[in-house]
Amino acid sequence: MSSSVNLGLAEARRRLAARELSARELTLAHVEAMAEARQLNAFITETPELALEAATASDARLAKGEGGLLEGLPIAIKDLFCTRGVATTAGSHILDGFVPPYESTVTAKLWAAGAVPLGKTNLDEFAMGSSNMTSYHGPVRSPWTKASDNADLVPGGSSGGSAAAVAARIALAATGTDTGGSIRQPAAFCGITGIKPTYGRCSRFGVVAFASSLDQPGAFGRSVEDSALLLQAMAGYDPNDSTSADLAVPDWTASLKGKVKGLRIGVPKEYRVDAMPEEIEKLWQEGADWLRAEGAEIVEIALPHTKYALPTYYIIAPAEASSNLARYDGMRYGLRVEGETLADMYKKTRAAGFGAEVRRRVMIGTYVLSAGYYDAYYLKAQKVRRRIVEDFEQAFEKVDAILTPTAPSAAFRAGEKLDDPVAMYLNDVFTVPSSLAGLPAISVPAGLSAEGLPLGLQVIGKAWDEQTVLDVGLAIERAAGFEVMPYGLASG
Ligand code: GLN
């Protein structure tokens, strides 16, 4: 494996600018790494030709001293972003054969910034899941294994392919989307950094919709700086997305100092959930100690409606999903299974095209939106969501950021929890509340479990205050000094 795949996004950028490395060399190394790591199943579609073509064009621009923010840097794209001329599957059978005639705003921005497209990464079907086991294109394997055995572990989900690709040094960075934790949880499981910005910071235009009031694109990198750099290129107002915010994108990387002196960091007591492993509790404590040692003040806060966040999310997200997924009818694009009548064709197409988890969500969503149950479930959930938002508003009157674990455990075995959807949903217990409130949050690798697997800490910030989230994240990154590589790569 060429050593250039071990560079971070920001470091590779510096070397390209200094002409110590060409975009073509860097891209070739990643294309090779991608081919060598096929056993991970991290990609659904590889685009090596497009990558090399883009790299050549980048080299020409770099030679003239030109180039965008990500000029010549190979990255991967979650296969939920529509890419013109390149198949987009959302991890589902129902989008078979779909080649978008248009580009998502986020990916358009990335290509305009000079990024090099390695391919489209695997994901849970329609981004529903926490393990990347529900993809029609097969599960993604984590590049990590436990110290004690070689059993396959999940990379987390739903952006499991992106997280695995970045952890396995196949891509310098990757895009993800986060509806209830799909960037932060896989980042934690794979020992990398992942940031979900404030809802509305990145355009959802051209991102296959799961739950529109929650979905938000974000970035994976192997460091806080790398994630900030990628996010910088992704973010910004888009008139094509009515929920996109008309706000300037601050220069996060330029301001990134990791200084937390004088900041007040909240630790919510409600996140001490039952049966949380002691090592997670310990890591959380350690994280608070690191920040205190850097001059931050640790404040105990209350987020009293936290216990309702998961049930609320698992009403609202399926409700929106059932509505969003109504468009897949076999008529205009994707899979079609012929039937005797139009209704029969719809039924056959949807039955064949959607996997079990997607069907479960469509059914739950349809149920909670049905006339007889709308008030009892959907309307109630919206009211509770408001309470959760208010919890955060009150907390942020007292603190600048909130520190929690990212997930209640390290990565679990492939296949575990699959027959127990509730156990799977519980994985999102720490990520879902901030999603419901639309707040920015990052996961930073902070330590190892007793089994030798990465564990992440989460920093949640005020709306539009990605800067503080990144700075606190950087302080944790520095204190943790997490440099362990997935064991299969350690010799690389
Ligand atoms: N695991 C959560 C779910 O299954 C979150 C997924 C996501 O953020 N896309 O809904």
Short mmCIF file of all heavy atoms in Angstrom, two decimals, residues 78 126-130 157-158 177-183 210 215 313-314 317 357 361 424-425 428 432, ligand 1:
data_model
loop_
_atom_site.label_atom_id
_atom_site.label_comp_id
_atom_site.label_asym_id
_atom_site.label_seq_id
_atom_site.Cartn_x
_atom_site.Cartn_y
_atom_site.Cartn_z
N LYS A 78 -21.27 8.83 -0.21
CA LYS A 78 -22.32 7.89 0.20
C LYS A 78 -23.32 7.74 -0.95
O LYS A 78 -23.71 8.74 -1.57
CB LYS A 78 -23.03 8.44 1.45
CG LYS A 78 -24.09 7.51 2.03
CD LYS A 78 -24.73 8.12 3.28
CE LYS A 78 -25.67 7.14 3.97
NZ LYS A 78 -26.27 7.71 5.20
N PHE A 126 -31.82 2.86 2.10
CA PHE A 126 -32.43 4.17 2.34
C PHE A 126 -31.96 4.80 3.64
O PHE A 126 -32.70 5.57 4.28
CB PHE A 126 -33.97 4.09 2.30
CG PHE A 126 -34.50 4.02 0.89
CD1 PHE A 126 -34.93 2.81 0.37
CD2 PHE A 126 -34.53 5.14 0.08
CE1 PHE A 126 -35.39 2.72 -0.94
CE2 PHE A 126 -34.99 5.06 -1.23
CZ PHE A 126 -35.42 3.86 -1.75
N ALA A 127 -30.75 4.46 4.05
CA ALA A 127 -30.12 5.03 5.26
C ALA A 127 -30.85 4.63 6.53
O ALA A 127 -30.76 5.33 7.54
CB ALA A 127 -29.99 6.55 5.14
N MET A 128 -31.58 3.52 6.48
CA MET A 128 -32.30 3.06 7.68
C MET A 128 -31.51 1.94 8.32
O MET A 128 -31.51 0.81 7.83
CB MET A 128 -33.68 2.54 7.28
CG MET A 128 -34.54 3.63 6.68
SD MET A 128 -36.07 2.94 6.05
CE MET A 128 -36.70 4.36 5.16
N GLY A 129 -30.85 2.26 9.42
CA GLY A 129 -30.11 1.22 10.12
C GLY A 129 -28.93 1.76 10.88
O GLY A 129 -28.58 2.95 10.76
N SER A 130 -28.33 0.91 11.68
CA SER A 130 -27.18 1.29 12.51
C SER A 130 -26.06 0.28 12.36
O SER A 130 -25.19 0.18 13.22
CB SER A 130 -27.60 1.35 13.98
OG SER A 130 -28.78 2.12 14.12
N GLY A 157 -23.85 2.22 11.05
CA GLY A 157 -24.67 2.61 9.91
C GLY A 157 -25.42 3.90 10.21
O GLY A 157 -25.37 4.39 11.33
N SER A 158 -26.03 4.46 9.22
CA SER A 158 -26.17 3.87 7.91
C SER A 158 -24.99 4.17 6.97
O SER A 158 -24.83 3.47 5.97
CB SER A 158 -27.45 4.39 7.26
OG SER A 158 -27.35 5.79 7.04
N THR A 177 -24.62 10.97 5.41
CA THR A 177 -25.82 11.71 5.81
C THR A 177 -26.20 11.19 7.17
O THR A 177 -25.91 10.05 7.52
CB THR A 177 -27.01 11.51 4.85
OG1 THR A 177 -27.38 10.12 4.88
CG2 THR A 177 -26.69 11.94 3.44
N ASP A 178 -26.84 12.06 7.95
CA ASP A 178 -27.16 11.73 9.33
C ASP A 178 -28.61 12.13 9.57
O ASP A 178 -28.97 13.30 9.42
CB ASP A 178 -26.20 12.49 10.24
CG ASP A 178 -26.21 12.01 11.68
OD1 ASP A 178 -27.32 11.91 12.25
OD2 ASP A 178 -25.13 11.75 12.24
N THR A 179 -29.43 11.16 9.88
CA THR A 179 -30.85 11.40 10.17
C THR A 179 -31.09 11.24 11.66
O THR A 179 -31.83 11.99 12.28
CB THR A 179 -31.70 10.43 9.34
OG1 THR A 179 -31.40 10.63 7.96
CG2 THR A 179 -33.19 10.62 9.57
N GLY A 180 -30.41 10.23 12.23
CA GLY A 180 -30.51 10.00 13.67
C GLY A 180 -29.19 9.54 14.26
O GLY A 180 -29.15 9.05 15.38
N GLY A 181 -28.13 9.68 13.48
CA GLY A 181 -26.82 9.26 14.00
C GLY A 181 -25.93 8.59 12.97
O GLY A 181 -24.84 8.13 13.28
N SER A 182 -26.39 8.56 11.73
CA SER A 182 -25.72 7.77 10.69
C SER A 182 -24.34 8.25 10.28
O SER A 182 -23.68 7.58 9.49
CB SER A 182 -26.59 7.70 9.45
OG SER A 182 -27.52 6.67 9.61
N ILE A 183 -23.90 9.40 10.77
CA ILE A 183 -22.51 9.79 10.56
C ILE A 183 -21.73 9.53 11.85
O ILE A 183 -20.66 8.92 11.84
CB ILE A 183 -22.39 11.28 10.16
CG1 ILE A 183 -22.95 11.49 8.75
CG2 ILE A 183 -20.94 11.75 10.23
CD1 ILE A 183 -22.99 12.92 8.28
N PHE A 210 -34.94 10.30 3.18
CA PHE A 210 -35.40 9.31 4.16
C PHE A 210 -36.43 10.02 5.04
O PHE A 210 -37.63 9.82 4.90
CB PHE A 210 -34.18 8.78 4.92
CG PHE A 210 -34.42 8.08 6.23
CD1 PHE A 210 -35.69 7.66 6.63
CD2 PHE A 210 -33.35 7.80 7.07
CE1 PHE A 210 -35.88 7.00 7.85
CE2 PHE A 210 -33.54 7.14 8.28
CZ PHE A 210 -34.80 6.76 8.68
N ASP A 215 -32.93 14.61 7.93
CA ASP A 215 -31.78 14.29 7.07
C ASP A 215 -30.82 15.48 6.95
O ASP A 215 -31.25 16.60 6.67
CB ASP A 215 -32.24 13.96 5.62
CG ASP A 215 -33.14 12.75 5.53
OD1 ASP A 215 -33.19 11.96 6.49
OD2 ASP A 215 -33.81 12.60 4.47
N TYR A 313 -38.36 9.75 17.78
CA TYR A 313 -37.68 9.59 16.50
C TYR A 313 -38.28 8.44 15.70
O TYR A 313 -38.50 8.55 14.49
CB TYR A 313 -36.18 9.33 16.75
CG TYR A 313 -35.41 8.99 15.50
CD1 TYR A 313 -34.88 9.99 14.69
CD2 TYR A 313 -35.22 7.67 15.11
CE1 TYR A 313 -34.17 9.68 13.53
CE2 TYR A 313 -34.52 7.34 13.96
CZ TYR A 313 -34.00 8.35 13.17
OH TYR A 313 -33.31 8.03 12.03
N TYR A 314 -38.55 7.33 16.39
CA TYR A 314 -39.05 6.15 15.67
C TYR A 314 -40.55 6.24 15.36
O TYR A 314 -41.15 5.28 14.93
CB TYR A 314 -38.64 4.86 16.38
CG TYR A 314 -37.22 4.51 15.96
CD1 TYR A 314 -36.12 4.79 16.77
CD2 TYR A 314 -36.96 3.99 14.69
CE1 TYR A 314 -34.82 4.53 16.35
CE2 TYR A 314 -35.67 3.73 14.25
CZ TYR A 314 -34.61 4.00 15.09
OH TYR A 314 -33.34 3.75 14.64
N ALA A 317 -39.47 9.65 12.13
CA ALA A 317 -38.66 9.22 10.97
C ALA A 317 -39.44 8.25 10.07
O ALA A 317 -39.50 8.45 8.86
CB ALA A 317 -37.32 8.64 11.43
N GLU A 357 -36.37 -4.07 6.56
CA GLU A 357 -36.36 -2.90 7.46
C GLU A 357 -37.14 -1.74 6.84
O GLU A 357 -37.89 -1.04 7.52
CB GLU A 357 -34.91 -2.49 7.77
CG GLU A 357 -34.78 -1.33 8.76
CD GLU A 357 -35.39 -1.61 10.14
OE1 GLU A 357 -35.44 -2.79 10.56
OE2 GLU A 357 -35.86 -0.65 10.78
N ARG A 361 -40.50 0.15 8.31
CA ARG A 361 -40.65 1.60 8.54
C ARG A 361 -41.85 2.15 7.78
O ARG A 361 -42.55 3.02 8.29
CB ARG A 361 -39.38 2.33 8.10
CG ARG A 361 -38.12 1.78 8.71
CD ARG A 361 -37.64 2.56 9.87
NE ARG A 361 -36.41 1.98 10.39
CZ ARG A 361 -35.34 2.66 10.75
NH1 ARG A 361 -35.34 3.97 10.67
NH2 ARG A 361 -34.27 2.06 11.22
N MET A 424 -31.49 -2.79 18.06
CA MET A 424 -30.77 -2.01 17.04
C MET A 424 -31.09 -0.53 17.22
O MET A 424 -30.18 0.31 17.18
CB MET A 424 -31.19 -2.49 15.65
CG MET A 424 -30.38 -1.95 14.52
SD MET A 424 -28.72 -2.62 14.46
CE MET A 424 -28.92 -4.01 13.37
N TYR A 425 -32.34 -0.20 17.45
CA TYR A 425 -32.74 1.21 17.58
C TYR A 425 -32.07 1.85 18.81
O TYR A 425 -31.76 3.04 18.81
CB TYR A 425 -34.26 1.36 17.68
CG TYR A 425 -35.04 0.87 16.45
CD1 TYR A 425 -36.44 0.75 16.49
CD2 TYR A 425 -34.40 0.56 15.26
CE1 TYR A 425 -37.15 0.31 15.39
CE2 TYR A 425 -35.11 0.12 14.16
CZ TYR A 425 -36.49 0.00 14.22
OH TYR A 425 -37.21 -0.43 13.13
N ASP A 428 -28.98 4.20 18.89
CA ASP A 428 -29.04 5.61 18.52
C ASP A 428 -29.38 6.51 19.71
O ASP A 428 -29.63 7.69 19.53
CB ASP A 428 -30.12 5.83 17.45
CG ASP A 428 -29.94 4.94 16.26
OD1 ASP A 428 -28.79 4.61 15.94
OD2 ASP A 428 -30.95 4.56 15.63
N VAL A 432 -29.77 10.52 18.59
CA VAL A 432 -31.09 10.93 18.11
C VAL A 432 -31.58 12.27 18.71
O VAL A 432 -32.16 13.08 17.97
CB VAL A 432 -32.09 9.77 18.35
CG1 VAL A 432 -33.49 10.26 18.57
CG2 VAL A 432 -32.04 8.80 17.18
N1 GLN B 1 -30.00 4.33 12.91
C1 GLN B 1 -31.00 5.33 12.70
C2 GLN B 1 -32.13 4.77 11.89
O1 GLN B 1 -32.07 3.64 11.58
C3 GLN B 1 -30.41 6.54 12.06
C4 GLN B 1 -30.16 6.36 10.61
C5 GLN B 1 -29.65 7.61 9.98
O2 GLN B 1 -29.17 8.53 10.66
N2 GLN B 1 -29.78 7.66 8.66
O3 GLN B 1 -33.05 5.42 11.56
#
